[in-house]
Amino acid sequence: FIRHCPCDDLSGADHASVDNGILKPEVTNTHYYAPVVFPRDGETVCSFSLVYRDVNANDTMTVRLERKLTNGSPSLAPKVMAQVKTGAGTLDKLRVSTTTNIVSPTIDTENEFYFVEALVPTFNLGIVGVRIVVKPVCP
């Protein structure tokens, strides 16, 4: 994941650390992006999951799988394919949030590119990773 501002300072520093595979933001209201490369056109995204750590269960992180047209207007907003949010529950344990509600799930790498956007409101949430299940046909 790569941090994108709004930045609290002008240094452009990431202000995050990685500890045993957990991305730990050190500032609030941070956006992170990661490219997604699918191996084949025509397959279907069946589910989208976030694996995360939550220290206090008081805040909600939103993570989206998004697509953008390669031959469209650069100013058009990306389309959200799937979205998950963190939830209350067991503190400081590895957690998974999953959705199978995928909008336009067919992959078209010829005309689109894909990425994940994470909106992290506080340093109490850590990103372990995302899991995207892709199959020729979803069950």
Side-chain angles (χ1 to χ4, degrees), residues 30-82:
T30 305
H31 291 220
Y32 286 91
Y33 294 88
V36 175
V37 178
F38 291 113
R40 289 175 292 286
D41 270 347
E43 291 202 338
T44 305
V45 177
C46 299
S47 68
F48 176 65
S49 301
L50 167 67
V51 182
Y52 67 98
R53 173 183 169 262
D54 190 344
V55 174
N56 66 7
N58 289 331
D59 305 291
T60 302
M61 175 171 38
T62 302
V63 180
R64 300 180 185 119
L65 173 61
E66 298 179 283
R67 66 173 7 127
K68 192 160 173 83
L69 289 171
T70 56
N71 59 359
S73 170
S75 62
L76 289 176
K79 302 291 183 187
V80 177
M81 294 177 64

mmCIF file of all heavy atoms in Angstrom, residues 30-82:
data_model
loop_
_atom_site.group_PDB
_atom_site.id
_atom_site.type_symbol
_atom_site.label_atom_id
_atom_site.label_comp_id
_atom_site.label_asym_id
_atom_site.label_seq_id
_atom_site.Cartn_x
_atom_site.Cartn_y
_atom_site.Cartn_z
ATOM 1 N N THR A 30 -5.995 8.842 6.880
ATOM 2 C CA THR A 30 -5.051 8.556 5.812
ATOM 3 C C THR A 30 -5.695 7.668 4.759
ATOM 4 O O THR A 30 -6.503 6.811 5.082
ATOM 5 C CB THR A 30 -3.808 7.861 6.390
ATOM 6 O OG1 THR A 30 -3.271 8.673 7.421
ATOM 7 C CG2 THR A 30 -2.759 7.647 5.343
ATOM 8 N N HIS A 31 -5.340 7.901 3.508
ATOM 9 C CA HIS A 31 -5.784 7.050 2.407
ATOM 10 C C HIS A 31 -4.569 6.283 1.888
ATOM 11 O O HIS A 31 -3.522 6.869 1.654
ATOM 12 C CB HIS A 31 -6.343 7.887 1.253
ATOM 13 C CG HIS A 31 -7.633 8.554 1.569
ATOM 14 N ND1 HIS A 31 -8.646 8.646 0.665
ATOM 15 C CD2 HIS A 31 -8.092 9.164 2.687
ATOM 16 C CE1 HIS A 31 -9.661 9.280 1.204
ATOM 17 N NE2 HIS A 31 -9.333 9.608 2.428
ATOM 18 N N TYR A 32 -4.751 4.970 1.698
ATOM 19 C CA TYR A 32 -3.710 4.131 1.115
ATOM 20 C C TYR A 32 -4.243 3.487 -0.158
ATOM 21 O O TYR A 32 -5.433 3.166 -0.238
ATOM 22 C CB TYR A 32 -3.271 3.025 2.085
ATOM 23 C CG TYR A 32 -2.416 3.532 3.213
ATOM 24 C CD1 TYR A 32 -2.979 3.938 4.408
ATOM 25 C CD2 TYR A 32 -1.043 3.603 3.076
ATOM 26 C CE1 TYR A 32 -2.190 4.410 5.444
ATOM 27 C CE2 TYR A 32 -0.246 4.072 4.104
ATOM 28 C CZ TYR A 32 -0.831 4.473 5.292
ATOM 29 O OH TYR A 32 -0.044 4.948 6.311
ATOM 30 N N TYR A 33 -3.363 3.313 -1.130
ATOM 31 C CA TYR A 33 -3.740 2.704 -2.412
ATOM 32 C C TYR A 33 -2.788 1.566 -2.726
ATOM 33 O O TYR A 33 -1.600 1.629 -2.396
ATOM 34 C CB TYR A 33 -3.671 3.740 -3.543
ATOM 35 C CG TYR A 33 -4.697 4.831 -3.402
ATOM 36 C CD1 TYR A 33 -4.426 5.969 -2.661
ATOM 37 C CD2 TYR A 33 -5.939 4.715 -3.999
ATOM 38 C CE1 TYR A 33 -5.367 6.964 -2.519
ATOM 39 C CE2 TYR A 33 -6.891 5.703 -3.862
ATOM 40 C CZ TYR A 33 -6.597 6.828 -3.115
ATOM 41 O OH TYR A 33 -7.540 7.811 -2.970
ATOM 42 N N ALA A 34 -3.332 0.537 -3.389
ATOM 43 C CA ALA A 34 -2.509 -0.574 -3.859
ATOM 44 C C ALA A 34 -3.042 -1.024 -5.215
ATOM 45 O O ALA A 34 -4.258 -1.189 -5.382
ATOM 46 C CB ALA A 34 -2.544 -1.739 -2.880
ATOM 47 N N PRO A 35 -2.160 -1.204 -6.201
ATOM 48 C CA PRO A 35 -2.616 -1.702 -7.498
ATOM 49 C C PRO A 35 -3.029 -3.164 -7.387
ATOM 50 O O PRO A 35 -2.507 -3.908 -6.552
ATOM 51 C CB PRO A 35 -1.394 -1.543 -8.400
ATOM 52 C CG PRO A 35 -0.236 -1.580 -7.462
ATOM 53 C CD PRO A 35 -0.717 -0.997 -6.164
ATOM 54 N N VAL A 36 -3.964 -3.566 -8.235
ATOM 55 C CA VAL A 36 -4.391 -4.963 -8.313
ATOM 56 C C VAL A 36 -4.177 -5.418 -9.750
ATOM 57 O O VAL A 36 -4.661 -4.778 -10.682
ATOM 58 C CB VAL A 36 -5.876 -5.131 -7.927
ATOM 59 C CG1 VAL A 36 -6.330 -6.569 -8.144
ATOM 60 C CG2 VAL A 36 -6.110 -4.695 -6.486
ATOM 61 N N VAL A 37 -3.444 -6.503 -9.911
ATOM 62 C CA VAL A 37 -3.188 -7.046 -11.241
ATOM 63 C C VAL A 37 -3.868 -8.410 -11.321
ATOM 64 O O VAL A 37 -3.501 -9.339 -10.596
ATOM 65 C CB VAL A 37 -1.671 -7.185 -11.509
ATOM 66 C CG1 VAL A 37 -1.435 -7.794 -12.883
ATOM 67 C CG2 VAL A 37 -0.988 -5.835 -11.377
ATOM 68 N N PHE A 38 -4.866 -8.504 -12.178
ATOM 69 C CA PHE A 38 -5.552 -9.780 -12.387
ATOM 70 C C PHE A 38 -4.873 -10.515 -13.536
ATOM 71 O O PHE A 38 -4.518 -9.913 -14.541
ATOM 72 C CB PHE A 38 -7.023 -9.554 -12.708
ATOM 73 C CG PHE A 38 -7.813 -9.021 -11.545
ATOM 74 C CD1 PHE A 38 -8.343 -7.743 -11.569
ATOM 75 C CD2 PHE A 38 -8.036 -9.813 -10.422
ATOM 76 C CE1 PHE A 38 -9.084 -7.251 -10.501
ATOM 77 C CE2 PHE A 38 -8.771 -9.325 -9.347
ATOM 78 C CZ PHE A 38 -9.299 -8.047 -9.385
ATOM 79 N N PRO A 39 -4.696 -11.843 -13.418
ATOM 80 C CA PRO A 39 -3.946 -12.580 -14.428
ATOM 81 C C PRO A 39 -4.680 -12.801 -15.750
ATOM 82 O O PRO A 39 -4.039 -12.943 -16.780
ATOM 83 C CB PRO A 39 -3.639 -13.917 -13.752
ATOM 84 C CG PRO A 39 -4.673 -14.059 -12.709
ATOM 85 C CD PRO A 39 -5.040 -12.666 -12.280
ATOM 86 N N ARG A 40 -6.018 -12.841 -15.733
ATOM 87 C CA ARG A 40 -6.746 -13.169 -16.968
ATOM 88 C C ARG A 40 -7.988 -12.319 -17.131
ATOM 89 O O ARG A 40 -8.721 -12.070 -16.174
ATOM 90 C CB ARG A 40 -7.164 -14.642 -16.952
ATOM 91 C CG ARG A 40 -6.011 -15.610 -17.127
ATOM 92 C CD ARG A 40 -6.460 -17.051 -16.988
ATOM 93 N NE ARG A 40 -6.883 -17.400 -15.632
ATOM 94 C CZ ARG A 40 -6.061 -17.591 -14.592
ATOM 95 N NH1 ARG A 40 -4.770 -17.438 -14.750
ATOM 96 N NH2 ARG A 40 -6.519 -17.930 -13.418
ATOM 97 N N ASP A 41 -8.262 -11.935 -18.365
ATOM 98 C CA ASP A 41 -9.518 -11.274 -18.710
ATOM 99 C C ASP A 41 -10.668 -12.273 -18.652
ATOM 100 O O ASP A 41 -10.479 -13.469 -18.851
ATOM 101 C CB ASP A 41 -9.457 -10.731 -20.147
ATOM 102 C CG ASP A 41 -8.928 -9.316 -20.202
ATOM 103 O OD1 ASP A 41 -8.832 -8.673 -19.153
ATOM 104 O OD2 ASP A 41 -8.620 -8.861 -21.311
ATOM 105 N N GLY A 42 -11.862 -11.752 -18.420
ATOM 106 C CA GLY A 42 -13.063 -12.555 -18.514
ATOM 107 C C GLY A 42 -13.414 -13.337 -17.270
ATOM 108 O O GLY A 42 -14.505 -13.896 -17.188
ATOM 109 N N GLU A 43 -12.502 -13.421 -16.294
ATOM 110 C CA GLU A 43 -12.850 -14.126 -15.065
ATOM 111 C C GLU A 43 -13.700 -13.217 -14.187
ATOM 112 O O GLU A 43 -13.913 -12.048 -14.500
ATOM 113 C CB GLU A 43 -11.598 -14.610 -14.347
ATOM 114 C CG GLU A 43 -10.911 -15.719 -15.122
ATOM 115 C CD GLU A 43 -10.016 -16.591 -14.264
ATOM 116 O OE1 GLU A 43 -9.584 -16.157 -13.185
ATOM 117 O OE2 GLU A 43 -9.764 -17.730 -14.691
ATOM 118 N N THR A 44 -14.189 -13.767 -13.094
ATOM 119 C CA THR A 44 -15.160 -13.075 -12.253
ATOM 120 C C THR A 44 -14.614 -12.904 -10.841
ATOM 121 O O THR A 44 -14.084 -13.852 -10.257
ATOM 122 C CB THR A 44 -16.466 -13.890 -12.207
ATOM 123 O OG1 THR A 44 -16.910 -14.110 -13.542
ATOM 124 C CG2 THR A 44 -17.552 -13.162 -11.443
ATOM 125 N N VAL A 45 -14.762 -11.704 -10.302
ATOM 126 C CA VAL A 45 -14.428 -11.470 -8.895
ATOM 127 C C VAL A 45 -15.594 -12.013 -8.071
ATOM 128 O O VAL A 45 -16.735 -11.567 -8.230
ATOM 129 C CB VAL A 45 -14.208 -9.974 -8.606
ATOM 130 C CG1 VAL A 45 -13.948 -9.760 -7.121
ATOM 131 C CG2 VAL A 45 -13.054 -9.425 -9.440
ATOM 132 N N CYS A 46 -15.304 -12.982 -7.215
ATOM 133 C CA CYS A 46 -16.352 -13.638 -6.422
ATOM 134 C C CYS A 46 -16.483 -13.059 -5.017
ATOM 135 O O CYS A 46 -17.579 -13.020 -4.466
ATOM 136 C CB CYS A 46 -16.076 -15.132 -6.330
ATOM 137 S SG CYS A 46 -16.066 -15.959 -7.932
ATOM 138 N N SER A 47 -15.362 -12.642 -4.436
ATOM 139 C CA SER A 47 -15.419 -12.031 -3.108
ATOM 140 C C SER A 47 -14.224 -11.116 -2.900
ATOM 141 O O SER A 47 -13.205 -11.228 -3.570
ATOM 142 C CB SER A 47 -15.468 -13.102 -2.009
ATOM 143 O OG SER A 47 -14.259 -13.805 -1.948
ATOM 144 N N PHE A 48 -14.392 -10.220 -1.951
ATOM 145 C CA PHE A 48 -13.366 -9.241 -1.599
ATOM 146 C C PHE A 48 -13.297 -9.192 -0.080
ATOM 147 O O PHE A 48 -14.327 -9.027 0.591
ATOM 148 C CB PHE A 48 -13.733 -7.872 -2.180
ATOM 149 C CG PHE A 48 -12.804 -6.755 -1.803
ATOM 150 C CD1 PHE A 48 -11.489 -6.764 -2.221
ATOM 151 C CD2 PHE A 48 -13.249 -5.694 -1.040
ATOM 152 C CE1 PHE A 48 -10.622 -5.727 -1.883
ATOM 153 C CE2 PHE A 48 -12.403 -4.653 -0.701
ATOM 154 C CZ PHE A 48 -11.088 -4.669 -1.126
ATOM 155 N N SER A 49 -12.089 -9.352 0.467
ATOM 156 C CA SER A 49 -11.917 -9.382 1.921
ATOM 157 C C SER A 49 -10.782 -8.472 2.362
ATOM 158 O O SER A 49 -9.795 -8.314 1.654
ATOM 159 C CB SER A 49 -11.583 -10.806 2.396
ATOM 160 O OG SER A 49 -12.580 -11.713 2.047
ATOM 161 N N LEU A 50 -10.922 -7.937 3.546
ATOM 162 C CA LEU A 50 -9.876 -7.193 4.228
ATOM 163 C C LEU A 50 -9.458 -7.996 5.451
ATOM 164 O O LEU A 50 -10.313 -8.419 6.231
ATOM 165 C CB LEU A 50 -10.393 -5.824 4.671
ATOM 166 C CG LEU A 50 -9.511 -5.051 5.659
ATOM 167 C CD1 LEU A 50 -8.201 -4.638 4.997
ATOM 168 C CD2 LEU A 50 -10.247 -3.851 6.209
ATOM 169 N N VAL A 51 -8.164 -8.199 5.609
ATOM 170 C CA VAL A 51 -7.621 -8.812 6.813
ATOM 171 C C VAL A 51 -6.983 -7.669 7.590
ATOM 172 O O VAL A 51 -6.152 -6.932 7.040
ATOM 173 C CB VAL A 51 -6.592 -9.912 6.472
ATOM 174 C CG1 VAL A 51 -6.080 -10.574 7.743
ATOM 175 C CG2 VAL A 51 -7.200 -10.936 5.512
ATOM 176 N N TYR A 52 -7.368 -7.526 8.865
ATOM 177 C CA TYR A 52 -6.935 -6.340 9.610
ATOM 178 C C TYR A 52 -6.796 -6.630 11.089
ATOM 179 O O TYR A 52 -7.204 -7.661 11.596
ATOM 180 C CB TYR A 52 -7.915 -5.188 9.384
ATOM 181 C CG TYR A 52 -9.297 -5.413 9.968
ATOM 182 C CD1 TYR A 52 -9.643 -4.877 11.207
ATOM 183 C CD2 TYR A 52 -10.257 -6.160 9.293
ATOM 184 C CE1 TYR A 52 -10.897 -5.077 11.746
ATOM 185 C CE2 TYR A 52 -11.516 -6.354 9.817
ATOM 186 C CZ TYR A 52 -11.827 -5.812 11.048
ATOM 187 O OH TYR A 52 -13.074 -6.026 11.589
ATOM 188 N N ARG A 53 -6.232 -5.636 11.768
ATOM 189 C CA ARG A 53 -6.080 -5.640 13.224
ATOM 190 C C ARG A 53 -6.728 -4.372 13.753
ATOM 191 O O ARG A 53 -6.543 -3.293 13.196
ATOM 192 C CB ARG A 53 -4.593 -5.649 13.572
ATOM 193 C CG ARG A 53 -4.283 -5.489 15.029
ATOM 194 C CD ARG A 53 -2.750 -5.450 15.200
ATOM 195 N NE ARG A 53 -2.391 -5.037 16.522
ATOM 196 C CZ ARG A 53 -2.036 -3.794 16.862
ATOM 197 N NH1 ARG A 53 -1.993 -2.850 15.967
ATOM 198 N NH2 ARG A 53 -1.718 -3.517 18.102
ATOM 199 N N ASP A 54 -7.508 -4.506 14.815
ATOM 200 C CA ASP A 54 -8.193 -3.366 15.418
ATOM 201 C C ASP A 54 -7.829 -3.325 16.894
ATOM 202 O O ASP A 54 -8.085 -4.271 17.628
ATOM 203 C CB ASP A 54 -9.706 -3.513 15.243
ATOM 204 C CG ASP A 54 -10.472 -2.260 15.618
ATOM 205 O OD1 ASP A 54 -9.909 -1.379 16.299
ATOM 206 O OD2 ASP A 54 -11.648 -2.166 15.243
ATOM 207 N N VAL A 55 -7.237 -2.235 17.324
ATOM 208 C CA VAL A 55 -6.765 -2.129 18.698
ATOM 209 C C VAL A 55 -7.888 -1.821 19.682
ATOM 210 O O VAL A 55 -7.921 -2.342 20.785
ATOM 211 C CB VAL A 55 -5.653 -1.053 18.806
ATOM 212 C CG1 VAL A 55 -5.251 -0.824 20.244
ATOM 213 C CG2 VAL A 55 -4.460 -1.470 17.983
ATOM 214 N N ASN A 56 -8.862 -0.988 19.284
ATOM 215 C CA ASN A 56 -9.870 -0.577 20.260
ATOM 216 C C ASN A 56 -11.324 -0.776 19.840
ATOM 217 O O ASN A 56 -12.237 -0.501 20.614
ATOM 218 C CB ASN A 56 -9.657 0.877 20.665
ATOM 219 C CG ASN A 56 -9.885 1.844 19.525
ATOM 220 O OD1 ASN A 56 -10.333 1.462 18.444
ATOM 221 N ND2 ASN A 56 -9.597 3.104 19.760
ATOM 222 N N ALA A 57 -11.584 -1.204 18.611
ATOM 223 C CA ALA A 57 -12.947 -1.449 18.106
ATOM 224 C C ALA A 57 -13.843 -0.206 18.161
ATOM 225 O O ALA A 57 -15.061 -0.315 18.149
ATOM 226 C CB ALA A 57 -13.599 -2.622 18.839
ATOM 227 N N ASN A 58 -13.257 0.981 18.219
ATOM 228 C CA ASN A 58 -14.046 2.213 18.260
ATOM 229 C C ASN A 58 -14.167 2.893 16.900
ATOM 230 O O ASN A 58 -15.031 3.738 16.725
ATOM 231 C CB ASN A 58 -13.433 3.220 19.237
ATOM 232 C CG ASN A 58 -13.605 2.787 20.666
ATOM 233 O OD1 ASN A 58 -14.555 2.093 21.007
ATOM 234 N ND2 ASN A 58 -12.686 3.187 21.519
ATOM 235 N N ASP A 59 -13.303 2.550 15.956
ATOM 236 C CA ASP A 59 -13.243 3.248 14.682
ATOM 237 C C ASP A 59 -13.526 2.275 13.541
ATOM 238 O O ASP A 59 -13.358 1.073 13.680
ATOM 239 C CB ASP A 59 -11.867 3.881 14.494
ATOM 240 C CG ASP A 59 -11.515 4.792 15.655
ATOM 241 O OD1 ASP A 59 -12.156 5.836 15.783
ATOM 242 O OD2 ASP A 59 -10.613 4.434 16.429
ATOM 243 N N THR A 60 -13.953 2.836 12.403
ATOM 244 C CA THR A 60 -14.285 2.011 11.245
ATOM 245 C C THR A 60 -13.397 2.381 10.069
ATOM 246 O O THR A 60 -13.337 3.536 9.666
ATOM 247 C CB THR A 60 -15.765 2.213 10.844
ATOM 248 O OG1 THR A 60 -16.583 1.889 11.955
ATOM 249 C CG2 THR A 60 -16.130 1.339 9.667
ATOM 250 N N MET A 61 -12.719 1.373 9.516
ATOM 251 C CA MET A 61 -11.919 1.544 8.313
ATOM 252 C C MET A 61 -12.747 1.032 7.132
ATOM 253 O O MET A 61 -13.414 0.004 7.237
ATOM 254 C CB MET A 61 -10.617 0.753 8.435
ATOM 255 C CG MET A 61 -9.762 0.759 7.195
ATOM 256 S SD MET A 61 -8.084 0.034 7.401
ATOM 257 C CE MET A 61 -8.304 -1.344 8.487
ATOM 258 N N THR A 62 -12.698 1.743 6.019
ATOM 259 C CA THR A 62 -13.388 1.339 4.799
ATOM 260 C C THR A 62 -12.345 1.022 3.738
ATOM 261 O O THR A 62 -11.422 1.804 3.520
ATOM 262 C CB THR A 62 -14.306 2.470 4.283
ATOM 263 O OG1 THR A 62 -15.241 2.811 5.316
ATOM 264 C CG2 THR A 62 -15.056 2.047 3.039
ATOM 265 N N VAL A 63 -12.514 -0.129 3.087
ATOM 266 C CA VAL A 63 -11.594 -0.528 2.030
ATOM 267 C C VAL A 63 -12.414 -0.916 0.811
ATOM 268 O O VAL A 63 -13.400 -1.645 0.914
ATOM 269 C CB VAL A 63 -10.698 -1.705 2.483
ATOM 270 C CG1 VAL A 63 -9.749 -2.118 1.376
ATOM 271 C CG2 VAL A 63 -9.911 -1.302 3.730
ATOM 272 N N ARG A 64 -12.005 -0.380 -0.355
ATOM 273 C CA ARG A 64 -12.761 -0.578 -1.594
ATOM 274 C C ARG A 64 -11.890 -1.179 -2.690
ATOM 275 O O ARG A 64 -10.736 -0.798 -2.848
ATOM 276 C CB ARG A 64 -13.287 0.756 -2.112
ATOM 277 C CG ARG A 64 -14.211 1.469 -1.175
ATOM 278 C CD ARG A 64 -14.675 2.791 -1.803
ATOM 279 N NE ARG A 64 -15.473 3.519 -0.860
ATOM 280 C CZ ARG A 64 -15.180 4.712 -0.390
ATOM 281 N NH1 ARG A 64 -14.086 5.335 -0.790
ATOM 282 N NH2 ARG A 64 -15.971 5.305 0.477
ATOM 283 N N LEU A 65 -12.490 -2.068 -3.469
ATOM 284 C CA LEU A 65 -11.900 -2.538 -4.719
ATOM 285 C C LEU A 65 -12.514 -1.668 -5.806
ATOM 286 O O LEU A 65 -13.738 -1.584 -5.922
ATOM 287 C CB LEU A 65 -12.227 -4.012 -4.960
ATOM 288 C CG LEU A 65 -11.800 -4.586 -6.312
ATOM 289 C CD1 LEU A 65 -10.288 -4.505 -6.498
ATOM 290 C CD2 LEU A 65 -12.293 -6.020 -6.446
ATOM 291 N N GLU A 66 -11.648 -0.984 -6.582
ATOM 292 C CA GLU A 66 -12.142 -0.036 -7.572
ATOM 293 C C GLU A 66 -11.564 -0.318 -8.955
ATOM 294 O O GLU A 66 -10.515 -0.937 -9.078
ATOM 295 C CB GLU A 66 -11.794 1.393 -7.136
ATOM 296 C CG GLU A 66 -12.452 1.761 -5.816
ATOM 297 C CD GLU A 66 -12.115 3.155 -5.350
ATOM 298 O OE1 GLU A 66 -10.997 3.341 -4.840
ATOM 299 O OE2 GLU A 66 -12.963 4.040 -5.515
ATOM 300 N N ARG A 67 -12.273 0.186 -9.960
ATOM 301 C CA ARG A 67 -11.821 0.051 -11.353
ATOM 302 C C ARG A 67 -11.946 1.409 -12.025
ATOM 303 O O ARG A 67 -12.769 2.235 -11.661
ATOM 304 C CB ARG A 67 -12.659 -0.989 -12.087
ATOM 305 C CG ARG A 67 -14.083 -0.587 -12.258
ATOM 306 C CD ARG A 67 -15.009 -1.456 -13.126
ATOM 307 N NE ARG A 67 -14.549 -2.682 -13.616
ATOM 308 C CZ ARG A 67 -15.173 -3.852 -13.459
ATOM 309 N NH1 ARG A 67 -16.305 -3.912 -12.789
ATOM 310 N NH2 ARG A 67 -14.693 -4.937 -13.984
ATOM 311 N N LYS A 68 -11.089 1.605 -13.036
ATOM 312 C CA LYS A 68 -11.130 2.851 -13.806
ATOM 313 C C LYS A 68 -10.865 2.506 -15.269
ATOM 314 O O LYS A 68 -10.040 1.644 -15.576
ATOM 315 C CB LYS A 68 -10.068 3.823 -13.290
ATOM 316 C CG LYS A 68 -10.230 5.233 -13.830
ATOM 317 C CD LYS A 68 -9.503 6.210 -12.948
ATOM 318 C CE LYS A 68 -9.492 7.595 -13.519
ATOM 319 N NZ LYS A 68 -10.670 8.373 -13.258
ATOM 320 N N LEU A 69 -11.591 3.169 -16.152
ATOM 321 C CA LEU A 69 -11.426 2.948 -17.591
ATOM 322 C C LEU A 69 -10.093 3.490 -18.074
ATOM 323 O O LEU A 69 -9.681 4.588 -17.697
ATOM 324 C CB LEU A 69 -12.542 3.641 -18.375
ATOM 325 C CG LEU A 69 -13.932 3.036 -18.265
ATOM 326 C CD1 LEU A 69 -14.959 3.962 -18.907
ATOM 327 C CD2 LEU A 69 -13.970 1.672 -18.923
ATOM 328 N N THR A 70 -9.415 2.715 -18.925
ATOM 329 C CA THR A 70 -8.158 3.190 -19.493
ATOM 330 C C THR A 70 -8.394 4.072 -20.710
ATOM 331 O O THR A 70 -7.517 4.832 -21.097
ATOM 332 C CB THR A 70 -7.255 2.015 -19.904
ATOM 333 O OG1 THR A 70 -7.967 1.184 -20.815
ATOM 334 C CG2 THR A 70 -6.816 1.218 -18.701
ATOM 335 N N ASN A 71 -9.570 3.979 -21.316
ATOM 336 C CA ASN A 71 -9.846 4.791 -22.510
ATOM 337 C C ASN A 71 -10.905 5.850 -22.255
ATOM 338 O O ASN A 71 -11.447 6.409 -23.187
ATOM 339 C CB ASN A 71 -10.254 3.884 -23.680
ATOM 340 C CG ASN A 71 -11.491 3.060 -23.361
ATOM 341 O OD1 ASN A 71 -12.042 3.150 -22.268
ATOM 342 N ND2 ASN A 71 -11.917 2.255 -24.308
ATOM 343 N N GLY A 72 -11.197 6.142 -20.998
ATOM 344 C CA GLY A 72 -12.197 7.155 -20.657
ATOM 345 C C GLY A 72 -11.547 8.465 -20.280
ATOM 346 O O GLY A 72 -10.328 8.642 -20.373
ATOM 347 N N SER A 73 -12.372 9.386 -19.843
ATOM 348 C CA SER A 73 -11.876 10.681 -19.396
ATOM 349 C C SER A 73 -11.093 10.515 -18.096
ATOM 350 O O SER A 73 -11.553 9.833 -17.177
ATOM 351 C CB SER A 73 -13.049 11.633 -19.163
ATOM 352 O OG SER A 73 -12.599 12.802 -18.521
ATOM 353 N N PRO A 74 -9.919 11.129 -17.995
ATOM 354 C CA PRO A 74 -9.135 11.017 -16.760
ATOM 355 C C PRO A 74 -9.865 11.590 -15.545
ATOM 356 O O PRO A 74 -9.589 11.196 -14.421
ATOM 357 C CB PRO A 74 -7.868 11.813 -17.040
ATOM 358 C CG PRO A 74 -7.893 12.181 -18.462
ATOM 359 C CD PRO A 74 -9.254 11.913 -19.007
ATOM 360 N N SER A 75 -10.799 12.520 -15.753
ATOM 361 C CA SER A 75 -11.482 13.148 -14.633
ATOM 362 C C SER A 75 -12.670 12.338 -14.108
ATOM 363 O O SER A 75 -13.243 12.693 -13.086
ATOM 364 C CB SER A 75 -11.946 14.552 -15.023
ATOM 365 O OG SER A 75 -12.859 14.470 -16.097
ATOM 366 N N LEU A 76 -13.033 11.258 -14.795
ATOM 367 C CA LEU A 76 -14.126 10.427 -14.299
ATOM 368 C C LEU A 76 -13.688 9.680 -13.038
ATOM 369 O O LEU A 76 -12.579 9.156 -12.972
ATOM 370 C CB LEU A 76 -14.560 9.410 -15.358
ATOM 371 C CG LEU A 76 -15.311 9.963 -16.569
ATOM 372 C CD1 LEU A 76 -15.594 8.846 -17.571
ATOM 373 C CD2 LEU A 76 -16.610 10.622 -16.134
ATOM 374 N N ALA A 77 -14.575 9.639 -12.080
ATOM 375 C CA ALA A 77 -14.277 8.929 -10.832
ATOM 376 C C ALA A 77 -14.212 7.421 -11.087
ATOM 377 O O ALA A 77 -14.901 6.910 -11.971
ATOM 378 C CB ALA A 77 -15.354 9.234 -9.804
ATOM 379 N N PRO A 78 -13.401 6.704 -10.326
ATOM 380 C CA PRO A 78 -13.381 5.247 -10.460
ATOM 381 C C PRO A 78 -14.709 4.667 -9.993
ATOM 382 O O PRO A 78 -15.455 5.300 -9.241
ATOM 383 C CB PRO A 78 -12.240 4.822 -9.537
ATOM 384 C CG PRO A 78 -12.004 5.956 -8.636
ATOM 385 C CD PRO A 78 -12.478 7.192 -9.314
ATOM 386 N N LYS A 79 -14.997 3.462 -10.439
ATOM 387 C CA LYS A 79 -16.206 2.744 -10.046
ATOM 388 C C LYS A 79 -15.861 1.785 -8.909
ATOM 389 O O LYS A 79 -14.881 1.050 -8.992
ATOM 390 C CB LYS A 79 -16.785 1.948 -11.214
ATOM 391 C CG LYS A 79 -17.118 2.790 -12.429
ATOM 392 C CD LYS A 79 -18.283 3.698 -12.155
ATOM 393 C CE LYS A 79 -18.641 4.480 -13.405
ATOM 394 N NZ LYS A 79 -19.633 5.471 -13.198
ATOM 395 N N VAL A 80 -16.666 1.788 -7.871
ATOM 396 C CA VAL A 80 -16.465 0.879 -6.748
ATOM 397 C C VAL A 80 -17.065 -0.473 -7.104
ATOM 398 O O VAL A 80 -18.254 -0.579 -7.380
ATOM 399 C CB VAL A 80 -17.099 1.430 -5.455
ATOM 400 C CG1 VAL A 80 -16.943 0.435 -4.317
ATOM 401 C CG2 VAL A 80 -16.477 2.769 -5.087
ATOM 402 N N MET A 81 -16.231 -1.502 -7.104
ATOM 403 C CA MET A 81 -16.683 -2.872 -7.376
ATOM 404 C C MET A 81 -17.148 -3.558 -6.094
ATOM 405 O O MET A 81 -18.106 -4.332 -6.111
ATOM 406 C CB MET A 81 -15.560 -3.696 -7.992
ATOM 407 C CG MET A 81 -15.131 -3.240 -9.362
ATOM 408 S SD MET A 81 -13.733 -4.216 -9.978
ATOM 409 C CE MET A 81 -14.440 -5.850 -10.112
ATOM 410 N N ALA A 82 -16.445 -3.302 -5.004
ATOM 411 C CA ALA A 82 -16.771 -3.938 -3.728
ATOM 412 C C ALA A 82 -16.253 -3.064 -2.599
ATOM 413 O O ALA A 82 -15.288 -2.315 -2.770
ATOM 414 C CB ALA A 82 -16.139 -5.321 -3.651
#
